[in-house]
């Protein structure tokens, strides 16, 4: 009898699964309907994954709307690919395309950043001084990597002195691979960690820890390598059952943990990381590290009336939205999707895939004078790479329930080759379909 999770689909079946997406149960709401006639002015701040997907869906849903997308970035970056680049599996250009090529006809692209948001006056001001009025505003700005919060860090150091920075961009991810490749040849002490703020793809620091271990084993240098992981609190992952799995894998692979460590400084010359701990500052030496900064909302959001006014996220600036509808708590014509949304889960590309249709339907319902039943349940997906060729497809919701898309086919906490293929092959095709509004 075939084992329950020994599943070997054909290439066609596998790609069909991928086209269906990495989540099947993240949102509820009506099917796409005929176009709605409207003269509504809709402004989308951000042309990343969330903003581009939203623009494409709204063009297909609305007839006559004036849709404007505001973003000064000329490059679109496929961020889930950064880990693969930093592992030597993809070139830097794997994650790079042009912003323009994903935007639909009928949408005006203002190639500037947003400098000011006036939700009382229903308008925004761009960095070039252009004022744009709106009837609906969609915040899709992503987040800000606060590199300045790490004393001693300089982006020019990435790839030198054992310093990596996977999150910084595709070029820096490639430089990180060079540093990791040298380290796993030579041996020494690697120190990994994550910031204490909310962050996108919170599994990425763990993935890169596992990958560094795997490369050292493949090269036969693991006996000369120490790997340490400094958790920002008392665990490694917010979902308890996943946290326990990671703990077990770390123990099995000789990764040495410490807890309640928050990076505050790096000394590249001495190769020392300084962490804030309950016992005071603690210095840890390293030969290789992956620098990850605190992550906060972009300044234009933080300096507006839109962030949470109290609670744990006050200093991070995330937009104060209802966690199920993603509608702003105080400005009903404002929504947030993607990383900038101040909700308990959902800072992954897979989350965007299920957030965008919810916001789309609530916005269209407002135009039509109806109430939308669409709900976002916090669906988040993390293809947790544990070695080259193996991963766990971890999917969960606001309540930390595991929500597997393929029950009986892909076991969420098993290290499977098919979960690896989801990350290495299928995810980008699904992501591109999402950008086009087709997934």
């Amino acid at each position: 009898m075939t084992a329950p999770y020994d599943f070997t689909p054909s290439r066609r079946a596998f790609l069909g699964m991928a086209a269906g997406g990495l989540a099947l149960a993240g949102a509820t709401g009506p099917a796409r309907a005929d176009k709605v006639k409207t003269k509504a002015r809709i402004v989308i701040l951000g042309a990343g994954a969330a903003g581009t997907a939203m623009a494409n869906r709204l063009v297909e849903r609305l007839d006559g709307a004036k849709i404007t997308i505001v973003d000064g970035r000329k490059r679109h970056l496929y961020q889930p690919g950064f880990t693969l680049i930093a592992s030597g599996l993809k070139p830097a250009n794997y994650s790079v395309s042009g912003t323009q090529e994903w935007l639909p006809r009928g949408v005006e692209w203002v190639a500037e950043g947003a400098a000011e948001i006036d939700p009382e006056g229903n308008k925004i001001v761009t960095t070039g001084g252009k004022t744009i009025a709106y009837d609906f505003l969609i915040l899709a700005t992503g987040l800000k990597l606060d590199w300045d919060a790490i004393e001693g860090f300089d982006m020019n150091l990435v790839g030198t002195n054992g310093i990596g920075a996977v999150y910084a961009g595709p070029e820096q991810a490639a430089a990180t691979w060079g540093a990791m490749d040298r380290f796993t040849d030579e041996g020494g002490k690697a120190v990994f960690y994550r910031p204490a703020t909310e962050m996108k793809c919170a599994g990425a620091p763990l993935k890169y820890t596992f990958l560094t271990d795997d490369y050292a084993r493949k090269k036969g240098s693991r006996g000369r390598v120490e790997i340490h992981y400094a958790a920002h609190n008392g665990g490694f992952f917010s979902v308890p059952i996943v946290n326990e799995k990671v703990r077990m894998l770390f123990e099995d692979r000789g990764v040495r943990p410490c807890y309640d460590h928050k990076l505050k400084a790096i000394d590249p010359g001495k190769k020392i990381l300084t962490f804030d701990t309950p016992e005071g500052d603690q210095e840890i030496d390293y030969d290789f590290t992956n620098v990850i900064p605190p992550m906060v909302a972009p300044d234009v959001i933080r300096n507006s009336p839109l962030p949470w006014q109290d609670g744990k996220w006050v200093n991070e600036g995330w937009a104060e939205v209802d966690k199920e509808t993603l509608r702003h708590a105080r400005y009903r014509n404002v929504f947030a999707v993607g990383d900038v949304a101040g909700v308990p889960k959902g800072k992954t590309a897979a989350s965007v895939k299920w957030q965008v249709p919810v916001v789309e339907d609530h916005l269209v319902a407002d135009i039509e004078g109806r109430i939308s039943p669409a709900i976002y349940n916090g669906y988040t997906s993390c293809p947790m790479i544990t070695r080259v060729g193996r991963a766990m497809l971890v999917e969960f919701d606001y309540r930390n329930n595991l929500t597997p898309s393929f029950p009986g086919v892909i076991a969420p906490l098993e290290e499977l080759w098919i979960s690896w293929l989801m990350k290495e092959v299928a995810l980008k095709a699904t992501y591109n379909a999402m950008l086009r509004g087709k997934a």
Side-chain angles (χ1 to χ4, degrees):
M1 178 180 292
T2 302
Y5 302 114
D6 182 16
F7 179 76
T8 309
S10 67
R11 177 176 174 82
R12 177 176 296 180
F14 173 68
L15 293 177
M17 291 164 63
L22 297 184
L24 301 180
T28 59
R32 302 291 287 275
D34 293 337
K35 282 194 173 186
V36 175
K37 292 187 179 296
T38 180
K39 297 296 183 183
R41 300 165 300 174
I42 301 169
V43 172
I44 302 171
L45 298 187
T52 298
M54 181 63 69
N56 276 289
R57 291 184 71 96
L58 289 177
V59 162
E60 293 298 317
R61 192 78 184 269
L62 300 174
D63 179 8
K66 178 175 174 54
I67 302 172
T68 304
I69 194 163
V70 178
D71 195 319
R73 297 171 293 183
K74 301 298 191 297
R75 299 198 309 176
H76 183 97
L77 299 180
Y78 171 62
Q79 296 181 58
F82 290 2
T83 302
L84 299 176
I85 295 169
S87 304
L89 300 169
K90 301 290 182 183
N93 62 8
Y94 172 74
S95 282
V96 181
S97 57
T99 297
Q100 181 68 67
E101 68 185 82
W102 300 106
L103 298 180
R105 293 182 180 180
V107 169
E108 179 186 3
W109 175 29
V110 177
E112 301 175 18
E116 181 182 341
I117 303 171
D118 177 7
E120 298 287 349
N122 294 316
K123 61 185 178 182
I124 67 106
V125 180
T126 70
T127 51
K130 184 175 182 178
T131 298
I132 305 174
Y134 63 80
D135 298 304
F136 296 96
L137 176 65
I138 300 170
L139 308 174
T141 57
L143 52 69
K144 173 183 175 181
L145 299 169
D146 192 6
W147 299 104
D148 291 340
I150 302 176
E151 181 183 345
F153 178 77
D154 186 315
M155 195 65 71
N156 293 322
L157 296 170
V158 178
T160 70
N161 295 310
I163 296 175
V166 173
Y167 276 90
E171 293 80 15
Q172 290 82 9
T176 299
W177 160 241
M180 192 257 267
D181 189 34
R182 289 189 294 274
F183 168 75
T184 48
D185 281 340
E186 299 166 1
K189 182 177 180 179
V191 179
F192 300 99
Y193 73 98
R194 60 149 286 176
T197 59
E198 297 293 321
M199 63 180 294
K200 56 183 165 186
C201 193
L206 301 171
K207 297 175 194 178
Y208 208 58
T209 305
F210 285 125
L211 283 165
T212 303
D213 167 80
D214 188 44
Y215 271 102
R217 291 177 188 277
K218 284 180 167 59
K219 292 179 177 182
S221 62
R222 187 61 177 89
R224 304 193 306 275
V225 167
E226 286 184 27
I227 299 181
H228 297 250
Y229 190 90
H232 72 295
N233 57 18
F236 307 111
F237 204 84
S238 64
V239 179
I241 192 171
V242 180
N243 177 69
E244 178 60 14
K245 178 68 174 185
V246 171
R247 186 198 66 76
M248 292 170 63
L249 288 173
F250 274 2
E251 182 176 342
D252 178 65
R253 294 177 194 178
V255 176
R256 306 179 188 183
C258 57
Y259 301 94
D260 297 308
H261 279 54
K262 303 171 185 177
L263 184 71
K264 59 185 294 186
I266 182 171
D267 185 329
K270 296 180 179 179
K271 290 192 172 182
I272 290 175
L273 300 171
T274 301
F275 291 89
D276 178 20
T277 79
E279 289 74 42
D281 287 356
Q282 180 176 342
E283 294 184 347
I284 302 179
D285 63 291
Y286 71 89
D287 294 294
F288 177 65
T289 190
N290 174 30
V291 179
I292 306 174
M295 301 186 193
V296 296
D299 292 347
V300 67
I301 306 296
R302 299 178 74 194
N303 296 331
S304 77
L306 298 173
W308 281 90
Q309 304 298 295
D310 54 36
K312 64 178 181 178
W313 294 322
V314 167
N315 294 328
E316 296 176 29
W318 312 114
E320 184 181 1
V321 296
D322 179 88
K323 69 179 185 178
E324 293 185 335
T325 66
L326 303 171
R327 186 192 296 272
H328 200 276
R330 289 171 282 114
Y331 301 97
R332 290 190 56 78
N333 62 337
V334 177
F335 297 86
V337 286
D339 294 346
V340 76
V343 297
K345 309 283 187 189
K347 287 179 170 47
T348 70
S351 304
V352 166
K353 173 176 163 50
W354 294 101
Q355 290 175 354
V356 167
V358 171
V359 171
E360 172 200 350
D361 202 70
H362 279 275
L363 189 153
V364 173
D366 286 358
I367 291 173
E368 293 183 304
R370 61 178 174 84
I371 296 176
S372 170
I375 293 296
Y376 171 63
N377 73 350
Y379 175 86
T380 305
S381 173
C382 176
M384 178 77 74
I385 299 170
T386 57
R387 64 187 70 189
V388 175
R390 289 291 186 271
M392 301 183 297
L393 184 56
V394 179
E395 303 166 274
F396 52 95
D397 62 15
Y398 280 139
R399 301 175 67 182
N400 288 332
N401 294 319
L402 295 183
T403 56
S405 293
F406 310 107
V409 176
I410 299 179
L413 299 182
E414 294 294 325
E415 300 174 77
L416 302 174
W417 71 268
I418 191 171
S419 299
W420 163 262
L421 289 178
M422 284 286 187
K423 169 67 176 180
E424 203 267 340
V425 177
L427 184 57
K428 190 175 184 183
T430 304
Y431 178 94
N432 290 347
M434 177 187 75
L435 290 185
R436 297 289 190 200
K438 305 299 184 185

